[in-house]
Amino acid sequence: MAGKPKLYYSNGRGKMESIRWLLAAAGVEFEEQFIETKEDLEKLRNDGVLLFQQVPMVEMDGMKMVQTRAILSYLAAKYNLYGKDLKERAWIDMYVEGTTDLMDMIMHLPFYSAEMKEKNLALIIERARNRYFPVYEKALKDHGHDYLVGNKLSWADIHVLEAILMVEECKPDILSAFPLLQAFKGRISNIPTIKKFLQPGSQRKPPPDEKFIAKVKKIFNI
């Protein structure tokens, strides 16, 4: 029997969190090797296991995979979360890419100065409300199914739920104008594997605090 996937990253969200989400939603147990110091990162680089000297890295199926998008695509395909044909895959990709743009804005927020943080927070809320969430609301309305693509759970659903929860941490009532997304959030959150991941004590990471941000800046020379 193959071993559990092993995830190499800092003990926080960052680029690895969507990978954790996808594995958890697929019901796949995984191990984590946390990068705690600059020396831990340098050791991985010196060992030659990081293709582009960057993390996240996921070790599974005899591969040491890097590049977040490549890892996520592999996992989605492996665990049957990537649609039934090329057209469905294209829709999943479009939803995922759009959602990732929004999530990246939130991910970078803690690294800004107080003034920049305030401006970017306002921009995140504006973009979520006017650019991204209306797309998913319309998709659910037009599609008429419980999921964004096809009639089964896909990577797009998991990614959008992750994004919704991230935006709600910035503005708790963000879904008030999106009733279908509210219902979607409830449905996807209650899928047993995802519900388990959302419980306290899971491998889901909390929002980054100042202590974690300081540590990350030191490890990655930011």
Side-chain angles (χ1 to χ4, degrees):
M1 184 179 166
K4 296 176 185 175
K6 191 168 184 179
L7 281 49
Y8 294 79
Y9 202 67
S10 55
N11 187 11
R13 289 184 181 176
K15 293 285 189 182
M16 185 64 89
E17 191 69 356
S18 293
I19 296 166
R20 296 183 185 108
W21 265 87
L22 204 52
L23 284 166
V28 179
E29 292 184 3
F30 56 89
E31 298 173 351
E32 299 195 74
Q33 177 72 51
F34 295 125
I35 297 167
E36 300 284 1
T37 64
K38 195 183 290 187
E39 288 71 31
D40 290 344
L41 181 60
E42 283 307 312
K43 185 179 187 311
L44 284 173
R45 286 172 171 166
N46 293 335
D47 287 349
V49 296
L50 298 177
L51 196 62
F52 301 109
Q53 300 188 25
Q54 293 174 311
V55 288
M57 179 177 81
V58 174
E59 190 172 2
M60 66 183 292
D61 296 345
M63 296 186 290
K64 291 182 171 71
M65 291 188 286
V66 295
Q67 298 300 310
T68 311
R69 172 69 204 218
I71 296 166
L72 287 166
S73 298
Y74 180 83
L75 295 175
K78 181 178 173 73
Y79 297 113
N80 199 24
L81 295 164
Y82 213 175
K84 71 178 189 300
D85 55 32
L86 279 174
K87 282 189 178 179
E88 285 196 358
R89 186 168 290 199
W91 277 107
I92 290 167
D93 283 341
M94 283 191 280
Y95 291 140
V96 164
E97 288 296 317
T99 313
T100 300
D101 289 344
L102 178 61
M103 289 159 75
D104 281 349
M105 291 172 72
I106 300 171
M107 206 182 300
H108 290 121
L109 199 59
F111 294 90
Y112 292 126
S113 66
E115 186 186 348
M116 287 296 291
K117 198 177 286 187
E118 197 175 325
K119 284 181 183 175
N120 281 277
L121 180 58
L123 182 61
I124 286 163
I125 293 164
E126 187 275 325
R127 289 275 172 87
R129 188 183 280 138
N130 298 318
R131 180 178 293 189
Y132 294 104
F133 287 1
V135 169
Y136 310 129
E137 185 79 2
K138 185 176 185 299
L140 290 165
K141 184 181 179 183
D142 293 350
H143 189 39
H145 291 301
D146 287 348
Y147 305 102
L148 285 164
V149 180
N151 197 19
K152 68 188 290 285
L153 182 70
S154 77
W155 174 19
D157 302 306
I158 298 158
H159 212 56
V160 168
L161 176 61
E162 183 188 359
I164 288 170
L165 297 181
M166 287 175 76
V167 178
E168 284 185 331
E169 288 169 355
C170 301
K171 186 167 175 56
D173 66 348
I174 189 73
L175 289 186
S176 59
F178 303 101
L180 297 180
L181 263 187
Q182 284 187 44
F184 170 86
K185 175 193 164 187
R187 282 195 305 275
I188 307 302
S189 296
N190 277 298
I191 290 168
T193 52
I194 294 175
K195 189 173 183 177
K196 183 180 176 185
F197 187 60
L198 293 172
Q199 298 303 309
S202 79
Q203 287 167 291
R204 185 182 178 216
K205 306 305 178 212
D209 57 19
E210 287 183 14
K211 187 178 175 185
F212 175 72
I213 294 300
K215 188 175 185 179
V216 165
K217 284 180 175 179
K218 198 171 178 183
I219 294 170
F220 295 100
N221 277 333
I222 297 171

